[in-house]
Amino acid sequence: MGKAKIGITIGDINGIGPQVIIKALSNEMLLNECTPIIYGSSKVLGYHKNIVGAQGFHFVTSNGDRVTSNKINVVNCWNESVNIELGKATEDGGQCAYIALDRAVNDLRDKKIDALVTAPINKHAMRLASFPFLGHTEYIAEQCNALGEELMLLVSPEMRVAVVSTHVPISEVATHVTKERVQKCILTLEESLKKDFDVEKPTIAVLGLNPHAGDSGEIGLEDEEIIKPIIIELKKKGHHVSGPYPADSFFGGIRYKKVDAILAMYHDQGLIPFKAFSFGSGVNFTAGLEVIRTSPDHGTGYDIVEQNLADPASMRQAIYNAIDIVRVRREYELMRQDRLRKNEIKNAGAIV
Amino acid sequence: MGKAKIGITIGDINGIGPQVIIKALSNEMLLNECTPIIYGSSKVLGYHKNIVGAQGFHFVTSNGDRVTSNKINVVNCWNESVNIELGKATEDGGQCAYIALDRAVNDLRDKKIDALVTAPINKHAMRLASFPFLGHTEYIAEQCNALGEELMLLVSPEMRVAVVSTHVPISEVATHVTKERVQKCILTLEESLKKDFDVEKPTIAVLGLNPHAGDSGEIGLEDEEIIKPIIIELKKKGHHVSGPYPADSFFGGIRYKKVDAILAMYHDQGLIPFKAFSFGSGVNFTAGLEVIRTSPDHGTGYDIVEQNLADPASMRQAIYNAIDIVRVRREYELMRQDRLRKNEIKNAGAIV
């Protein structure tokens, strides 16, 4: 099946996205592992290449249908000149990011690329460009007819953390903790661990919503009335799930190292410990989708874009994770077909 | 002024409190630094001493008015026999904890002891014993006529973190983030850093409430409308305060090491990174009170009480921190009186 074709969207052209792409791909080792296809613009990449001063970064242009293996391919998604205003959320910046993302997601859906890695966008710029979604994840889920199926999963060598709610105000977090949603998250996470990360029998730890996981109902009732019953029910059915754990002491010990993944109830509850322990190499993966999409776990870095301070570790890791997941899924699919074939033979034998 | 007299409440007699006290005080070095006075019961301590097997733990009984320096003093707060049911939240357990706390807080208020260290209690047991407070902090604040002035401040060699709201359900967290409360917390924290920790010009980082600190108002309005204006106002007045910072990336970098303290908006936002980085030696200090009170940052440990697995690091640190704060406050007070005297002399001179 050959090397994985990894699409990479350029992200906000006024942010560090283009720079971390250039830096990550300047290491030629990566070309042995995949064929990268950047969705964006040669001109914008040239502009940022000057800031970064990356001598090792060369590319060929492509229309997306034909790509050159062993080269970095760039799909020019617009032809007009655009105004780059480093460090600023602009309509132009939002529009370019939107156009590149749209083109890439089309190719992802059409299986022209095997996975997509998205460079960061800015919510304000995207709104100026009339992008009607909370972020990449929701857009991709909607374009792939899977809105509501997606699960934000953060991955690093240290841990995997998924979150029940993502970019919602704290005042609304509790309303997302419903029986349906939490159960779906646990099952989606379990399925992803098997299919995308090659974990045969996944173990999942679930964090409590309230301080001290509600302290037996003393601090809010959600932990006792919603989360605990789901865990008991799933355990009975043979799933390796435990909790709800008080989130603060959970990460104070070594318990987090002993499970395959952790389900946090909200953004900061999962992302604070994740980022604290992943030292800049964390990756965001959207579990629960048929398509494969990863991204670095940082933002547009407007404050450091002019000084060439952006660290490409997370982007590099996002590309490697995408490649790994493509491979694991291919093997998982082969194994599944193998099992099917064996069953058919067995059943055919039985009929004869 | 002599060695600090450090009161220590026994906490829940069915939990690990008595065990971490015994283990921490078994190191005789501590007796050079302070005179410890345990509020509880010799019998209960004897029971737990058998579990712990601490040969080096000897004590004298005291009525609290007279204490023996260079010895561990125990004030027997009840004479009846009590039922110890290890690992269980019982009415007896709650009542003993309540009686010991009440006696100790009286002595603290009457300045018979210089500081109080509280071993953990269980919320459920305390409720069975009709203890009408959320926890130690609220009880002590009320007994010292300072309810609403108290601020939970977590201290470790790695960082200091205070929280705007403590043991409240996530669904109510946002209602605690008012202009008055946040501003008061910042000023109380600043004052405590000067008075209790000997920081001359304290720098304070304030975390945002919502994910990404609200992303310029895209995710909830509290960060833009409440927290940011307070910071701007205080900066203008010369305070070294900054933020609101997105909480996840704040602890992902080294920024948290560059300030004297951090103000988090809610329990898990502050305590997850605190416990993740303090490796079991974190201490809870109640800032904003005239009296000095610290405690270990763990709970009653019902699940490990029978196996003698409790780690005394946090209790030991809580005692040392209490001693340090007593010293710093004494020096601060001496300096203040010195300044007053100099001013008086100067003014007297001017009048003549």
Side-chain angles (χ1 to χ4, degrees), chain B residues 67-336:
Chain B
V67 296
T68 314
S69 196
N70 301 317
K71 296 277 181 200
I72 296 162
N73 295 263
V74 173
V75 177
N76 280 306
C77 300
W78 59 88
N79 294 315
E80 311 80 33
S81 291
V82 291
N83 231 345
I84 298 188
E85 295 181 68
L86 292 184
K88 284 193 183 142
T90 67
E91 191 182 331
D92 259 20
Q95 254 163 8
C96 289
Y98 194 172
I99 293 167
L101 178 65
D102 193 57
R103 177 85 177 257
V105 171
N106 264 318
D107 284 359
L108 181 66
R109 220 172 26 192
D110 295 347
K111 299 194 170 46
K112 290 185 189 169
I113 50 177
D114 297 306
L116 179 62
V117 180
T118 55
I121 54 179
N122 176 283
K123 280 207 177 53
H124 189 58
M126 295 311 279
R127 183 167 288 193
L128 290 175
S130 306
F131 180 72
F133 297 90
L134 267 174
H136 278 122
T137 312
E138 293 76 13
Y139 176 74
I140 295 167
E142 205 255 9
Q143 291 292 307
C144 300
N145 297 318
L147 203 57
E149 306 292 322
E150 76 278 13
L151 180 67
M152 183 175 169
L153 174 58
L154 285 303
V155 182
S156 80
E158 201 64 22
M159 63 172 99
R160 299 185 192 100
V161 185
V163 287
V164 168
S165 64
T166 57
H167 297 115
V168 299
I170 276 289
S171 59
E172 294 170 21
V173 157
T175 66
H176 290 255
V177 179
T178 62
K179 202 185 160 210
E180 292 68 33
R181 172 82 187 143
V182 174
Q183 182 163 310
K184 191 175 203 176
C185 288
I186 296 172
L187 296 177
T188 302
L189 182 54
E190 192 185 48
E191 179 68 14
S192 174
L193 289 167
K194 289 182 189 172
K195 204 172 74 176
D196 304 321
F197 297 95
D198 199 20
V199 184
E200 211 173 323
K201 285 179 185 163
T203 54
I204 295 172
V206 180
L207 301 183
L209 172 68
N210 294 304
H212 305 188
D215 222 340
S216 309
E218 303 282 327
I219 313 171
L221 297 172
E222 295 92 343
D223 294 286
E224 286 299 308
E225 296 183 353
I226 298 172
I227 304 174
K228 205 179 265 181
I230 296 170
I231 293 173
I232 292 170
E233 208 179 301
L234 288 174
K235 264 186 182 166
K236 272 190 200 155
K237 291 182 181 165
H239 300 268
H240 301 286
V241 52
S242 62
Y245 296 105
D248 58 341
S249 54
F250 187 81
F251 294 102
I254 54 160
R255 206 149 34 176
Y256 75 89
K257 294 186 180 180
K258 297 189 168 174
V259 292
D260 295 308
I262 299 148
L263 181 65
M265 291 298 127
Y266 54 93
H267 186 277
D268 278 5
Q269 191 186 45
L271 268 75
I272 289 174
F274 180 80
K275 292 199 173 176
F277 286 127
S278 66
F279 305 107
S281 67
V283 172
N284 176 7
F285 168 61
T286 313
L289 299 185
E290 218 177 292
V291 298
I292 298 170
R293 178 251 170 168
T294 68
S295 73
D297 72 345
H298 57 70
T300 47
Y302 281 161
D303 52 329
I304 57 166
V305 65
E306 286 191 75
Q307 301 99 303
N308 183 23
L309 290 172
D311 179 353
S314 182
M315 173 54 86
R316 192 183 301 125
Q317 208 52 47
I319 297 170
Y320 274 115
N321 276 6
I323 299 168
D324 285 344
I325 295 169
V326 171
R327 280 185 193 148
V328 171
R329 281 208 191 172
R330 283 175 179 175
E331 279 165 27
Y332 187 84
E333 184 54 26
L334 283 177
M335 270 173 48
R336 201 181 62 85

Side-chain angles (χ1 to χ4, degrees), chain A residues 88-194:
Chain A
K88 284 191 183 145
T90 68
E91 190 181 330
D92 260 22
Q95 252 162 10
C96 289
Y98 194 171
I99 293 167
L101 178 64
D102 193 59
R103 177 83 177 258
V105 172
N106 263 319
D107 284 1
L108 182 67
R109 218 173 26 197
D110 295 349
K111 300 194 165 54
K112 289 182 187 171
I113 51 178
D114 296 306
L116 179 62
V117 180
T118 55
I121 54 178
N122 175 283
K123 283 208 173 53
H124 188 60
M126 295 312 278
R127 184 167 287 194
L128 290 175
S130 307
F131 180 73
F133 297 89
L134 268 175
H136 278 124
T137 311
E138 293 75 12
Y139 177 75
I140 295 167
E142 203 255 12
Q143 291 292 306
C144 299
N145 297 318
L147 203 54
E149 306 292 323
E150 75 278 14
L151 179 68
M152 184 173 169
L153 174 58
L154 286 302
V155 182
S156 80
E158 201 63 21
M159 65 173 95
R160 300 185 190 98
V161 184
V163 286
V164 167
S165 65
T166 57
H167 298 114
V168 299
I170 276 289
S171 59
E172 294 171 22
V173 157
T175 65
H176 289 255
V177 179
T178 63
K179 200 183 161 208
E180 294 66 35
R181 173 79 187 145
V182 174
Q183 181 162 312
K184 192 175 203 175
C185 287
I186 295 172
L187 296 177
T188 302
L189 182 54
E190 190 184 50
E191 178 68 17
S192 175
L193 289 167
K194 289 181 187 171

Side-chain angles (χ1 to χ4, degrees), chain A residues 28 39 50 81 91 96 131 146 177 186 196 224 239 250 286 310:
Chain A
E28 285 181 21
Y39 291 81
N50 281 337
S81 292
E91 190 181 330
C96 289
F131 180 73
V177 179
I186 295 172
D196 304 322
E224 285 299 308
H239 300 267
F250 187 81
T286 313

